[in-house]
Amino acid sequence: MASQPIFILPEGTERYTKRDALRMNITAAKVLSGIVRTTLGPKGMDKMLVNSLGDVTVTNDGATIMREMEINQPAARMLVETAKKQEDIVGDGTTSVVVIAGELLAKAEELLDDGIATSIVVKGFRNATAKAVELLNEIAIDADDEETLKKVAVTAMSGKGSDYAKEHLADIVVKAALRIKEDGVSEIDNINIQRVSGDSVEDSFLAEGVVIDKAPLSKNMPKDVKDAKIAIMKYPIELKDINTDTKIDITSPDQFEAFLQQEEQMIRDLVGKIIDSGVNVLFCQKGIDDMAEHYLKKAGIMAYKRVKKSDIERIEKATGAKLVTDIEDLTPEKLGTAGHVYLDKIFDHELTFIEECENPKASSIVLRGSTRYVTEQIARALDDALGVVAATIEEGKVLIGGGACEIDLVKQLREYGESVSGREQLAILKYAEALEIIPKTLIENAGLDTINLIADLKAAHEESKFIGINVFTGEVEDMKESGVIEPLRVKIQALQSAGEASEMILRIDDMIAARNALQSTGPDESGNDDSGMPPMPPAGGMGGMGGMPPMM
């Protein structure tokens, strides 16, 4: 019994310890970084993603790529979650987060190979991130005019399928964001994008109010209402379903007729309360049955049923209407107003426009495009542009793009690193070196000479911190004059998220996974599994019981 091994993990458990676990996670992060790296910048390439149902997505948006990929490797999934959080918070910079995190981990691996302790690397990276954020705040410039916001939007949309119309789209984005600005904040959730395939992107426009992708219940209802009194309801205008345990005894035709008349009277009472409130346009989040539709039509009310919650919220913001959850609460005080509500057909799409609102805090962009794929791709570019413009409105600070701020950070972080003693200095210098990945990637994706242009960029930064790479001409030039502007908040969030993600991965020295948790269907002929990640190394004699040593 003394020599009997004791296993504490179930059969089939895989365990990777210390350097094996770390190398596996770093490799996965570098692979993911390599996948999205080619999409960065105005000259970035697109990815075609085909899901299990055969639906095709063509995009170079980092968040979309990672969301559509079925990634199974745990460390890679952590980076995907980091990118999603970047998208949720600031609306852009998802590719940069993953690329920077992948490069930080690659540099960390070099330090670990040189015998530097993980704790020293983590501490150095953490201090370097804090210093980088401090430096970014120092080199940021004010963004207090509409023209700067437009430059921010153009920069965000560059290389995302909308280059031939980005000036027009940027103008739309800035006007939409400024229209809903309230107390220095622009809530982009209050802006919806209605995609309509047909015609060109240049035909896209900013609606005067809110647009919803719905038509009235009946073709015989009004399609054009002036001086609209609008009600929004989360209450069904229909009879409640009879409970399955309910029993109704009807013994004569008269009783059946009375029952039907009572149902009709209930519906008439519901519609009567709507009419009495003065409503002439009704948006209902629940159902409206045929009988109620008849009486609403007879009363000349323009009615909609099963309106999406997001649309209801935007109508509420635009018109001032209050959401009613009980028909008894529907009073004239709960109604919203709009000067004009009408149905319009664009190409083969019926849309309802709610316009001439007194103080709208919601808006809509009608996006046109030749095909569904075009409108989907440009809608993603518009989402990014809206996010960065909203961030700039709130923050009021921007940075110079084209790799200019990264090169400036590299220069100043190296000076900072040389002032730090001990091995932590090596980690800070590697962090600074890692930030060069952004300008290097911009240059590589444009097909230019990386070594010479990086050298020229560093030399030019001795004279001006605004010098960056013009990927269209292949020259180093003043990016401020060229109008290549990025929001401060996006860059700070990207550095902080990448630093936190790399630190989290570096601190993992043990991986214990259930059977098949690390892979899905196993490697294919090229050695990759269907997650796109490199295959896991063999357990190295760890055994089906998790490789736990016998406990004596």
CSV table of all heavy atoms in Angstrom, one decimal, residues 106-144:
chain,number,residue,atom,x,y,z
A,106,ALA,N,5.6,37.5,-27.3
A,106,ALA,CA,6.8,37.1,-28.0
A,106,ALA,C,8.0,37.6,-27.3
A,106,ALA,O,9.0,36.9,-27.2
A,106,ALA,CB,6.7,37.5,-29.4
A,107,LYS,N,8.0,38.9,-27.0
A,107,LYS,CA,9.2,39.5,-26.3
A,107,LYS,C,9.4,38.9,-24.9
A,107,LYS,O,10.5,38.7,-24.5
A,107,LYS,CB,9.0,41.0,-26.2
A,107,LYS,CG,8.9,41.7,-27.6
A,107,LYS,CD,10.1,41.5,-28.4
A,107,LYS,CE,10.0,42.2,-29.8
A,107,LYS,NZ,11.1,41.9,-30.6
A,108,ALA,N,8.3,38.6,-24.2
A,108,ALA,CA,8.4,38.0,-22.9
A,108,ALA,C,9.1,36.6,-23.0
A,108,ALA,O,9.9,36.3,-22.2
A,108,ALA,CB,7.0,37.9,-22.3
A,109,GLU,N,8.7,35.9,-24.1
A,109,GLU,CA,9.3,34.6,-24.3
A,109,GLU,C,10.8,34.7,-24.4
A,109,GLU,O,11.6,33.9,-23.9
A,109,GLU,CB,8.7,33.9,-25.5
A,109,GLU,CG,9.1,32.5,-25.7
A,109,GLU,CD,8.3,31.8,-26.8
A,109,GLU,OE1,8.0,32.5,-27.8
A,109,GLU,OE2,8.1,30.6,-26.8
A,110,GLU,N,11.3,35.7,-25.1
A,110,GLU,CA,12.7,36.0,-25.3
A,110,GLU,C,13.4,36.2,-23.9
A,110,GLU,O,14.5,35.7,-23.6
A,110,GLU,CB,13.0,37.2,-26.2
A,110,GLU,CG,12.5,36.9,-27.7
A,110,GLU,CD,12.7,38.2,-28.5
A,110,GLU,OE1,13.3,39.1,-28.0
A,110,GLU,OE2,12.2,38.2,-29.7
A,111,LEU,N,12.7,37.0,-23.1
A,111,LEU,CA,13.3,37.3,-21.8
A,111,LEU,C,13.3,36.0,-20.9
A,111,LEU,O,14.3,35.8,-20.2
A,111,LEU,CB,12.4,38.4,-21.1
A,111,LEU,CG,12.5,39.8,-21.7
A,111,LEU,CD1,11.4,40.7,-21.0
A,111,LEU,CD2,13.9,40.4,-21.4
A,112,LEU,N,12.3,35.2,-21.0
A,112,LEU,CA,12.2,34.0,-20.2
A,112,LEU,C,13.3,33.1,-20.6
A,112,LEU,O,13.9,32.4,-19.8
A,112,LEU,CB,10.9,33.3,-20.3
A,112,LEU,CG,9.7,34.1,-19.8
A,112,LEU,CD1,8.3,33.5,-20.1
A,112,LEU,CD2,9.8,34.3,-18.2
A,113,ASP,N,13.6,33.0,-21.9
A,113,ASP,CA,14.7,32.2,-22.5
A,113,ASP,C,16.0,32.6,-22.0
A,113,ASP,O,17.0,31.8,-21.9
A,113,ASP,CB,14.6,32.1,-24.0
A,113,ASP,CG,13.4,31.3,-24.5
A,113,ASP,OD1,12.9,30.6,-23.8
A,113,ASP,OD2,13.1,31.5,-25.7
A,114,ASP,N,16.1,33.9,-21.7
A,114,ASP,CA,17.4,34.5,-21.2
A,114,ASP,C,17.5,34.3,-19.7
A,114,ASP,O,18.5,34.8,-19.1
A,114,ASP,CB,17.5,36.0,-21.5
A,114,ASP,CG,17.7,36.2,-23.0
A,114,ASP,OD1,18.2,35.2,-23.7
A,114,ASP,OD2,17.4,37.3,-23.5
A,115,GLY,N,16.5,33.7,-19.0
A,115,GLY,CA,16.6,33.4,-17.6
A,115,GLY,C,16.0,34.4,-16.7
A,115,GLY,O,16.2,34.4,-15.5
A,116,ILE,N,15.2,35.4,-17.3
A,116,ILE,CA,14.6,36.4,-16.5
A,116,ILE,C,13.3,35.8,-15.9
A,116,ILE,O,12.5,35.1,-16.6
A,116,ILE,CB,14.2,37.6,-17.3
A,116,ILE,CG1,15.4,38.2,-18.1
A,116,ILE,CG2,13.6,38.7,-16.5
A,116,ILE,CD1,16.5,38.6,-17.2
A,117,ALA,N,13.1,36.0,-14.6
A,117,ALA,CA,11.9,35.4,-13.9
A,117,ALA,C,10.6,36.0,-14.4
A,117,ALA,O,10.6,37.2,-14.8
A,117,ALA,CB,12.0,35.6,-12.4
A,118,THR,N,9.6,35.2,-14.4
A,118,THR,CA,8.3,35.7,-14.9
A,118,THR,C,7.8,36.9,-14.1
A,118,THR,O,7.2,37.8,-14.7
A,118,THR,CB,7.2,34.5,-14.8
A,118,THR,OG1,7.7,33.4,-15.6
A,118,THR,CG2,5.9,35.0,-15.4
A,119,SER,N,8.0,36.8,-12.8
A,119,SER,CA,7.5,37.9,-12.0
A,119,SER,C,8.2,39.3,-12.4
A,119,SER,O,7.6,40.3,-12.3
A,119,SER,CB,7.8,37.6,-10.5
A,119,SER,OG,9.1,37.4,-10.3
A,120,ILE,N,9.5,39.2,-12.7
A,120,ILE,CA,10.2,40.4,-13.2
A,120,ILE,C,9.6,40.9,-14.5
A,120,ILE,O,9.4,42.1,-14.7
A,120,ILE,CB,11.7,40.1,-13.3
A,120,ILE,CG1,12.3,39.7,-12.0
A,120,ILE,CG2,12.4,41.3,-13.8
A,120,ILE,CD1,12.3,40.7,-10.9
A,121,VAL,N,9.3,40.0,-15.4
A,121,VAL,CA,8.8,40.4,-16.7
A,121,VAL,C,7.4,41.1,-16.5
A,121,VAL,O,7.1,42.1,-17.1
A,121,VAL,CB,8.7,39.2,-17.6
A,121,VAL,CG1,8.0,39.6,-19.0
A,121,VAL,CG2,10.0,38.6,-17.9
A,122,VAL,N,6.6,40.4,-15.7
A,122,VAL,CA,5.2,41.0,-15.4
A,122,VAL,C,5.3,42.4,-14.8
A,122,VAL,O,4.6,43.3,-15.2
A,122,VAL,CB,4.4,40.0,-14.5
A,122,VAL,CG1,3.2,40.7,-14.0
A,122,VAL,CG2,4.1,38.7,-15.3
A,123,LYS,N,6.2,42.5,-13.8
A,123,LYS,CA,6.3,43.8,-13.2
A,123,LYS,C,6.8,44.9,-14.1
A,123,LYS,O,6.3,46.0,-14.2
A,123,LYS,CB,7.3,43.7,-12.0
A,123,LYS,CG,7.4,45.0,-11.2
A,123,LYS,CD,8.4,44.8,-10.0
A,123,LYS,CE,8.6,46.2,-9.3
A,123,LYS,NZ,9.6,46.1,-8.2
A,124,GLY,N,7.8,44.5,-15.0
A,124,GLY,CA,8.3,45.5,-16.0
A,124,GLY,C,7.3,45.9,-17.0
A,124,GLY,O,7.1,47.1,-17.3
A,125,PHE,N,6.5,44.9,-17.5
A,125,PHE,CA,5.4,45.2,-18.4
A,125,PHE,C,4.4,46.1,-17.8
A,125,PHE,O,3.8,47.0,-18.4
A,125,PHE,CB,4.8,43.9,-18.9
A,125,PHE,CG,5.6,43.3,-20.0
A,125,PHE,CD1,6.9,43.7,-20.4
A,125,PHE,CD2,5.1,42.2,-20.7
A,125,PHE,CE1,7.6,43.1,-21.4
A,125,PHE,CE2,5.8,41.6,-21.7
A,125,PHE,CZ,7.1,42.0,-22.1
A,126,ARG,N,4.0,45.8,-16.5
A,126,ARG,CA,3.0,46.6,-15.8
A,126,ARG,C,3.5,48.1,-15.7
A,126,ARG,O,2.7,49.0,-15.9
A,126,ARG,CB,2.7,46.0,-14.5
A,126,ARG,CG,1.5,46.6,-13.7
A,126,ARG,CD,1.3,46.0,-12.4
A,126,ARG,NE,1.2,44.5,-12.5
A,126,ARG,CZ,1.4,43.7,-11.4
A,126,ARG,NH1,1.9,44.2,-10.3
A,126,ARG,NH2,1.2,42.4,-11.6
A,127,ASN,N,4.7,48.3,-15.2
A,127,ASN,CA,5.2,49.6,-15.1
A,127,ASN,C,5.3,50.3,-16.4
A,127,ASN,O,5.1,51.5,-16.5
A,127,ASN,CB,6.6,49.6,-14.4
A,127,ASN,CG,6.5,49.2,-12.9
A,127,ASN,OD1,5.4,49.2,-12.3
A,127,ASN,ND2,7.6,48.7,-12.4
A,128,ALA,N,5.7,49.6,-17.5
A,128,ALA,CA,5.8,50.2,-18.8
A,128,ALA,C,4.5,50.6,-19.3
A,128,ALA,O,4.3,51.7,-20.0
A,128,ALA,CB,6.5,49.2,-19.8
A,129,THR,N,3.4,49.8,-19.1
A,129,THR,CA,2.1,50.2,-19.5
A,129,THR,C,1.6,51.5,-18.8
A,129,THR,O,1.1,52.4,-19.5
A,129,THR,CB,1.1,49.0,-19.2
A,129,THR,OG1,1.5,47.9,-19.9
A,129,THR,CG2,-0.3,49.4,-19.6
A,130,ALA,N,1.9,51.5,-17.5
A,130,ALA,CA,1.5,52.8,-16.8
A,130,ALA,C,2.2,54.0,-17.3
A,130,ALA,O,1.6,55.1,-17.5
A,130,ALA,CB,1.8,52.6,-15.3
A,131,LYS,N,3.5,53.8,-17.6
A,131,LYS,CA,4.3,54.9,-18.1
A,131,LYS,C,3.8,55.3,-19.5
A,131,LYS,O,3.7,56.5,-19.9
A,131,LYS,CB,5.8,54.5,-18.2
A,131,LYS,CG,6.7,55.7,-18.6
A,131,LYS,CD,6.7,56.8,-17.6
A,131,LYS,CE,7.7,57.9,-18.0
A,131,LYS,NZ,7.7,59.1,-17.1
A,132,ALA,N,3.5,54.3,-20.3
A,132,ALA,CA,3.0,54.6,-21.7
A,132,ALA,C,1.7,55.4,-21.7
A,132,ALA,O,1.5,56.3,-22.5
A,132,ALA,CB,2.8,53.3,-22.5
A,133,VAL,N,0.8,55.0,-20.8
A,133,VAL,CA,-0.5,55.7,-20.6
A,133,VAL,C,-0.2,57.2,-20.2
A,133,VAL,O,-0.8,58.1,-20.7
A,133,VAL,CB,-1.4,55.0,-19.6
A,133,VAL,CG1,-2.6,55.9,-19.3
A,133,VAL,CG2,-1.9,53.7,-20.1
A,134,GLU,N,0.7,57.4,-19.3
A,134,GLU,CA,1.1,58.7,-18.9
A,134,GLU,C,1.6,59.5,-20.0
A,134,GLU,O,1.3,60.7,-20.2
A,134,GLU,CB,2.1,58.6,-17.7
A,134,GLU,CG,2.6,59.9,-17.2
A,134,GLU,CD,3.7,59.7,-16.2
A,134,GLU,OE1,3.7,58.8,-15.4
A,134,GLU,OE2,4.7,60.6,-16.2
A,135,LEU,N,2.5,58.9,-20.8
A,135,LEU,CA,3.1,59.6,-22.0
A,135,LEU,C,2.0,59.9,-23.0
A,135,LEU,O,2.1,61.0,-23.7
A,135,LEU,CB,4.2,58.7,-22.6
A,135,LEU,CG,5.4,58.5,-21.7
A,135,LEU,CD1,6.4,57.5,-22.3
A,135,LEU,CD2,6.2,59.9,-21.5
A,136,LEU,N,1.1,59.0,-23.3
A,136,LEU,CA,0.0,59.3,-24.3
A,136,LEU,C,-0.8,60.5,-23.9
A,136,LEU,O,-1.2,61.3,-24.7
A,136,LEU,CB,-0.9,58.1,-24.4
A,136,LEU,CG,-0.3,56.9,-25.2
A,136,LEU,CD1,-1.3,55.7,-25.2
A,136,LEU,CD2,0.0,57.3,-26.6
A,137,ASN,N,-1.1,60.6,-22.6
A,137,ASN,CA,-1.9,61.8,-22.1
A,137,ASN,C,-1.1,63.1,-22.3
A,137,ASN,O,-1.7,64.1,-22.6
A,137,ASN,CB,-2.2,61.6,-20.6
A,137,ASN,CG,-3.4,60.7,-20.4
A,137,ASN,OD1,-4.5,61.0,-20.9
A,137,ASN,ND2,-3.2,59.6,-19.7
A,138,GLU,N,0.3,63.0,-22.2
A,138,GLU,CA,1.1,64.2,-22.4
A,138,GLU,C,1.2,64.6,-23.9
A,138,GLU,O,1.2,65.8,-24.2
A,138,GLU,CB,2.5,63.9,-21.9
A,138,GLU,CG,2.6,63.8,-20.4
A,138,GLU,CD,4.0,63.4,-19.9
A,138,GLU,OE1,4.9,63.3,-20.8
A,138,GLU,OE2,4.2,63.2,-18.7
A,139,ILE,N,1.2,63.6,-24.8
A,139,ILE,CA,1.4,64.0,-26.2
A,139,ILE,C,0.0,64.2,-26.9
A,139,ILE,O,0.0,64.6,-28.1
A,139,ILE,CB,2.2,63.0,-27.0
A,139,ILE,CG1,1.5,61.6,-27.0
A,139,ILE,CG2,3.6,62.8,-26.4
A,139,ILE,CD1,2.2,60.5,-27.8
A,140,ALA,N,-1.1,63.9,-26.2
A,140,ALA,CA,-2.4,64.1,-26.9
A,140,ALA,C,-2.7,65.6,-27.2
A,140,ALA,O,-2.2,66.5,-26.5
A,140,ALA,CB,-3.5,63.5,-25.9
A,141,ILE,N,-3.5,65.8,-28.2
A,141,ILE,CA,-3.9,67.2,-28.6
A,141,ILE,C,-5.4,67.3,-28.5
A,141,ILE,O,-6.1,66.3,-28.5
A,141,ILE,CB,-3.4,67.5,-30.0
A,141,ILE,CG1,-4.0,66.5,-31.0
A,141,ILE,CG2,-1.9,67.5,-30.0
A,141,ILE,CD1,-3.6,66.9,-32.5
A,142,ASP,N,-5.8,68.5,-28.3
A,142,ASP,CA,-7.3,68.8,-28.2
A,142,ASP,C,-8.1,68.5,-29.5
A,142,ASP,O,-7.6,68.8,-30.6
A,142,ASP,CB,-7.5,70.2,-27.7
A,142,ASP,CG,-7.0,70.5,-26.3
A,142,ASP,OD1,-7.0,69.6,-25.5
A,142,ASP,OD2,-6.6,71.7,-26.0
A,143,ALA,N,-9.3,68.0,-29.3
A,143,ALA,CA,-10.2,67.8,-30.4
A,143,ALA,C,-11.5,68.5,-30.1
A,143,ALA,O,-12.3,67.9,-29.4
A,143,ALA,CB,-10.4,66.3,-30.6
A,144,ASP,N,-11.6,69.7,-30.5
A,144,ASP,CA,-12.8,70.5,-30.1
A,144,ASP,C,-13.6,71.1,-31.3
A,144,ASP,O,-14.3,72.0,-31.1
A,144,ASP,CB,-12.3,71.6,-29.2
A,144,ASP,CG,-11.2,72.5,-29.8
A,144,ASP,OD1,-10.9,72.2,-31.0
A,144,ASP,OD2,-10.7,73.4,-29.1
